[in-house]
Amino acid sequence: MPYDPSAFPHFAVTVDLVVLTVRRHALCALAVRRGEPPYPGRWALPGGFVRADEDLAAAAARELEEETGLRAHAPSQPALPNAAHLEQLATYGDPQRDPRMRVVSVAHLALAPDLPAPRAGGDAHSVRWAPVDDLLDQDTAFRHDAEVSAPLAFDHARILADGVERARSKIEYSSLATAFCPQEFTVGELRRVYEAVWGVALDPRNFHRKVTGTPGFLVPTGGTTTRQGGRPAQLFRAGGATVLNPPMLRPEV
Amino acid sequence: MPYDPSAFPHFAVTVDLVVLTVRRHALCALAVRRGEPPYPGRWALPGGFVRADEDLAAAAARELEEETGLRAHAPSQPALPNAAHLEQLATYGDPQRDPRMRVVSVAHLALAPDLPAPRAGGDAHSVRWAPVDDLLDQDTAFRHDAEVSAPLAFDHARILADGVERARSKIEYSSLATAFCPQEFTVGELRRVYEAVWGVALDPRNFHRKVTGTPGFLVPTGGTTTRQGGRPAQLFRAGGATVLNPPMLRPEV
DNA sequence: CCAAAAGTGTTGAACATACACCCATGT
DNA sequence: ACATGGGTGTATGTTCAACACTTTTGG
């Protein structure tokens, strides 16, 4: 079927990734250092062009694997080892957002357990996990001891902020916080995820009762561990439940 | 700055609109009948191409005004007369979703008060409000008395379902339900919005206490009305609060 | 008077917080 | 022994669902 290609404008379409993990009690995002203009030397979110016959989710999964080695798994699928939660976040299409040309970027949000080390992708640019506070907050970004020293390239600060906000609100009413944990984890480890993502302290006793009392949230594996020190803790896997009812309550700020 | 346009694939970018309203106790969506191939004669969501120098939100607002005469207002802005809530929903980019070419569609969700009548836009194709159940449910869609008789064109059934789901969950924890009401409304009218969107019955007494007891949700205007019959009811405007804490509770299904 | 919708009071169950207290390990 | 994190019990307050009851209109 013929169609006049001059009847509509042409766009480039990219996917950008907000990849979040919890490291050393802080919520961190994956950042790559740009080599080429525009914004050479600045940190940015990983991402790339969508291919001609590629679905948006497939493009996001491909970029995720290129940058981290993680495979994506669809929501409510058994958590495989080396797999991350991946979902569409939002789309950014300001005509001026890329100085080269008109680019519409479909941002995705990925949540991953703490990984041994970020691995350089097919292109060997530098990659690192940076605390989101350093990436977003101007004051800390310009502190001399901060490892990032300028705002993110393009509109990536906005995209990252939206991704963080999505993660913060979603762990409230879904079991998504388990995506930050390894396959087997303790209640205390899960609690530290909530504390890092929300930036608050939670009562360990009430948290324990809450998560173990929500049917389908956690499944005991039978094993125990003392990797956190102290009394051995039961190990759990994520259960089948995806929505939490009643939700976890985020304390007032 | 030169850039090689053959280095990346070209896409067409459209906006599609899920415009919802509550009419005669039912949640309804705006549908347009297609004149041209593909899917001639089938119902579809309103939408169109994003222009070369147009932001995504601006394109959605333009299409909304062309189809309905409604202006869009940003979140948490005073509700103007003839203005609708508009927000980005999600982006759909399956390579096969449009048989003509590669089209990425950025769907938006609009919530509007019940309007006198849908008005034909710049192009004079037919437009109507259809109950979302008729548009989505195969069984009712093929009943002889249903006014729509085939599934929506393209992947619009999926987009509509996602928009309805977004609206259903958002009125739970935000004051968005007021976007379905006229500027001044009663507690009973607001309750009927929740009942239509969720498809449930709510206790009028508890609902009244809940919404009037949430600070910033409703502001009394001083007036009263008996347009629903019975004892005169106070009139309210939407207050400044956008998030509802605690949320409205959707009864179990 | 009766029907209909608005609004208030009350009660018992569910759930949240705060915190006292005990348990099982490593050093 | 003691520090550390895991886990249970219990008191107190808040919120919610259910429903009896009163108020103010139209017919």
Side-chain angles (χ1 to χ4, degrees):
Chain A
M1 172 176 309
Y3 203 79
D4 177 7
S6 67
F8 54 88
H10 291 207
F11 294 74
V13 176
T14 61
V15 289
D16 285 321
L17 293 181
V18 176
V19 190
L20 300 179
T21 195
V22 174
R23 295 178 63 115
R24 284 176 279 126
H25 251 231
L27 183 63
C28 295
L30 197 65
V32 302
R33 195 193 290 275
R34 290 186 59 78
E36 317 250 301
Y39 306 104
R42 292 267 286 277
W43 292 95
L45 300 177
F49 289 108
V50 177
R51 296 180 180 162
D53 279 303
E54 189 179 43
D55 189 29
L56 301 175
R62 172 176 56 75
E63 292 287 343
L64 179 66
E65 178 151 17
E66 285 175 13
E67 300 291 348
T68 66
L70 290 165
R71 288 192 310 280
H73 66 79
S76 77
Q77 190 180 330
L80 307 165
N82 258 13
H85 170 89
L86 182 62
E87 66 178 45
Q88 194 187 107
L89 177 59
T91 299
Y92 301 82
D94 186 295
Q96 313 302 329
R97 64 180 294 279
D98 188 318
R100 294 167 294 184
M101 58 187 165
R102 185 71 198 265
V103 179
V104 167
S105 177
V106 184
H108 286 69
L109 174 66
L111 308 184
D114 193 2
L115 301 173
R119 119 183 168 187
D123 21 14
H125 46 220
S126 64
V127 184
R128 65 183 293 269
W129 292 108
V132 295
D133 290 342
D134 291 359
L135 291 171
L136 290 176
D137 185 4
Q138 296 292 53
D139 294 340
T140 67
F142 288 112
R143 269 172 26 215
H144 78 286
D145 60 327
E147 296 185 57
V148 293
S149 55
L152 288 171
F154 303 106
D155 52 0
H156 288 187
R158 169 77 190 287
I159 298 175
L160 175 58
D162 290 349
V164 169
E165 182 47 41
R166 169 85 65 97
R168 285 193 172 136
S169 68
K170 263 196 122 161
I171 65 172
E172 207 164 346
Y173 58 89
S174 80
S175 61
L176 212 54
T178 58
F180 286 115
C181 295
Q183 271 198 284
E184 296 202 344
F185 53 89
T186 69
V187 172
E189 288 162 351
L190 183 63
R191 176 171 47 82
R192 280 179 277 277
V193 164
Y194 276 91
E195 291 178 333
V197 176
W198 285 344
V200 298
L202 300 174
D203 185 304
R205 291 87 53 123
N206 294 332
F207 183 87
H208 185 279
R209 222 193 325 263
K210 176 94 181 180
V211 296
T212 55
T214 300
F217 189 8
L218 299 183
V219 180
T221 65
T224 62
T225 182
T226 61
R227 61 185 173 224
Q228 301 291 341
R231 168 176 166 180
Q234 288 181 69
L235 285 168
F236 295 87
R237 285 185 297 101
T242 62
V243 298
L244 259 40
N245 208 312
M248 291 296 305
L249 289 187
R250 173 154 39 161
E252 305 294 321
V253 206
Chain B
M1 173 177 309
Y3 204 79
D4 177 6
S6 66
F8 54 89
H10 291 209
F11 294 74
V13 176
T14 60
V15 289
D16 285 321
L17 294 180
V18 176
V19 190
L20 300 179
T21 196
V22 174
R23 294 177 62 112
R24 285 175 281 126
H25 251 230
L27 183 63
C28 295
L30 197 65
V32 302
R33 195 193 290 274
R34 290 187 58 79
E36 317 248 302
Y39 305 104
R42 293 267 286 278
W43 292 95
L45 300 177
F49 289 109
V50 177
R51 295 179 180 162
D53 279 302
E54 189 179 44
D55 189 29
L56 300 175
R62 172 176 55 76
E63 292 287 342
L64 179 65
E65 178 150 18
E66 285 176 11
E67 299 292 347
T68 65
L70 290 166
R71 288 192 309 280
H73 66 79
S76 77
Q77 191 180 329
L80 308 165
N82 258 13
H85 169 89
L86 182 63
E87 66 178 45
Q88 194 186 107
L89 176 59
T91 299
Y92 301 82
D94 186 294
Q96 313 302 328
R97 65 180 294 280
D98 188 318
R100 295 167 294 184
M101 57 186 166
R102 185 70 198 266
V103 179
V104 167
S105 177
V106 183
H108 286 69
L109 174 66
L111 307 184
D114 193 1
L115 301 173
R119 121 186 165 184
D123 21 16
H125 46 220
S126 65
V127 184
R128 65 182 294 268
W129 293 108
V132 296
D133 291 342
D134 291 0
L135 291 171
L136 290 176
D137 186 4
Q138 296 292 54
D139 293 340
T140 66
F142 288 113
R143 271 172 25 214
H144 78 286
D145 58 327
E147 295 185 59
V148 292
S149 55
L152 289 171
F154 304 106
D155 52 1
H156 287 188
R158 169 76 189 287
I159 298 176
L160 175 59
D162 290 349
V164 169
E165 182 48 40
R166 169 84 65 95
R168 286 193 172 136
S169 68
K170 259 195 125 163
I171 65 173
E172 205 164 347
Y173 58 88
S174 79
S175 62
L176 213 53
T178 58
F180 286 114
C181 295
Q183 272 198 284
E184 296 202 343
F185 54 89
T186 69
V187 172
E189 288 162 352
L190 182 63
R191 176 171 48 81
R192 280 179 276 277
V193 164
Y194 277 91
E195 291 178 333
V197 176
W198 284 346
V200 297
L202 299 174
D203 185 302
R205 292 85 55 122
N206 294 333
F207 183 88
H208 185 278
R209 221 194 327 263
K210 175 94 182 181
V211 296
T212 56
T214 300
F217 190 9
L218 299 183
V219 180
T221 66
T224 62
T225 181
T226 62
R227 60 186 173 223
Q228 301 292 340
R231 168 175 166 180
Q234 289 181 70
L235 285 168
F236 295 87
R237 284 185 297 101
T242 62
V243 298
L244 259 41
N245 208 313
M248 290 295 306
L249 290 187
R250 172 153 40 160
E252 304 295 321
V253 207

